[in-house]
């Protein structure tokens, strides 16, 4: 049928073993990307609001503020993905949260250097500059890594690690 190849869950499309196909050439379904994005935006809002409060009124240094806001945002993102985006998976408990946290730490490995280089290397030390580099540029770069890791390592389809990159 025409138009069913991109979304195998539509009637008449190819049958898959689980709620989403994995393997070479498979792209994530739009609803999966959209749900991940909505959860991510909520977690981002928590991260950004907390970072801003910790840098401003609480007067914490930028790296401590980012570390605290990161943990809060990570927890919100895990809860949203576990109960929303990937609710059809059977993975629950401490092990998938630990894997999710590890994927997000890998994202922070991308994100925190943006803040460090901007604040300490380039001398952009204002709260706005810290927010743009840490919660803007860094977050955008880390999002692709987080989507891939969450999808393939934390909540894999049918318990198998798959790739949407081919």
């Amino acid at each position: 049928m025409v138009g069913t190849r991109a979304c195998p869950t539509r009637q008449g499309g190819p049958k898959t073993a689980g709620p989403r196909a994995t393997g070479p050439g498979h792209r994530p379904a739009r609803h999966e990307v959209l749900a991940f994005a909505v959860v991510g935006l909520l977690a981002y809002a928590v991260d950004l609001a907390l970072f801003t409060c910790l840098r401003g009124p609480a007067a914490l240094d930028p790296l401590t503020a980012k570390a605290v806001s990161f943990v809060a945002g990570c927890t919100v993102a895990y809860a949203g993905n576990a109960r929303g985006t990937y609710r059809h998976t059977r993975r629950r408990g401490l092990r998938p949260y630990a894997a999710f946290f590890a994927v997000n730490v890998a994202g922070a490995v991308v994100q925190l250097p943006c803040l460090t280089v901007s604040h300490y290397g380039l001398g952009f030390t204002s709260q706005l500059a810290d927010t743009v580099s840490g919660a803007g540029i860094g977050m955008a770069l880390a999002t692709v890594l987080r989507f891939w890791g969450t999808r393939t390592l934390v909540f894999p389809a049918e318990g198998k690690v798959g790739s949407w990159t081919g």
Side-chain angles (χ1 to χ4, degrees), residues 94-160:
L94 190 55
R95 179 173 273 155
Y97 179 77
F100 187 81
F101 194 79
V103 165
N104 279 274
V105 167
V109 168
V110 172
Q111 192 174 352
L112 285 175
C114 292
L115 177 60
T116 303
V117 168
S118 172
H119 190 89
Y120 297 107
L122 300 176
F124 298 125
T125 58
S126 72
Q127 183 176 348
L128 177 61
D130 288 344
T131 301
V132 168
S133 62
I137 296 167
M139 182 69 78
L141 293 174
T143 297
V144 172
L145 175 64
R146 288 179 175 135
F147 178 75
W148 174 83
T150 299
R151 179 174 216 271
T152 59
L153 302 173
V154 182
F155 300 110
E158 296 295 311
K160 298 176 187 169

Side-chain angles (χ1 to χ4, degrees), residues 19-106:
R20 67 172 191 248
T22 59
H26 177 74
R27 294 187 309 193
R30 280 184 292 240
H31 69 275
E32 179 185 356
V33 173
L34 182 60
F36 185 85
V38 168
V39 168
L41 285 173
L42 178 61
Y44 177 77
V46 169
D47 186 333
L48 179 60
L50 187 55
F51 178 76
T52 302
C53 288
L54 293 174
R55 278 292 290 140
L60 290 179
D61 70 276
L63 296 181
T64 301
K66 188 68 213 162
V68 171
S69 70
F70 166 79
V71 171
C74 184
T75 302
V76 168
Y78 176 78
N81 280 307
R83 292 191 165 97
T85 310
Y86 301 106
R87 69 184 169 275
H88 59 275
T89 66
R90 291 181 172 32
R91 298 191 72 187
R92 300 283 187 263
L94 190 55
R95 179 173 273 155
Y97 179 77
F100 187 81
F101 194 79
V103 165
N104 279 274
V105 167

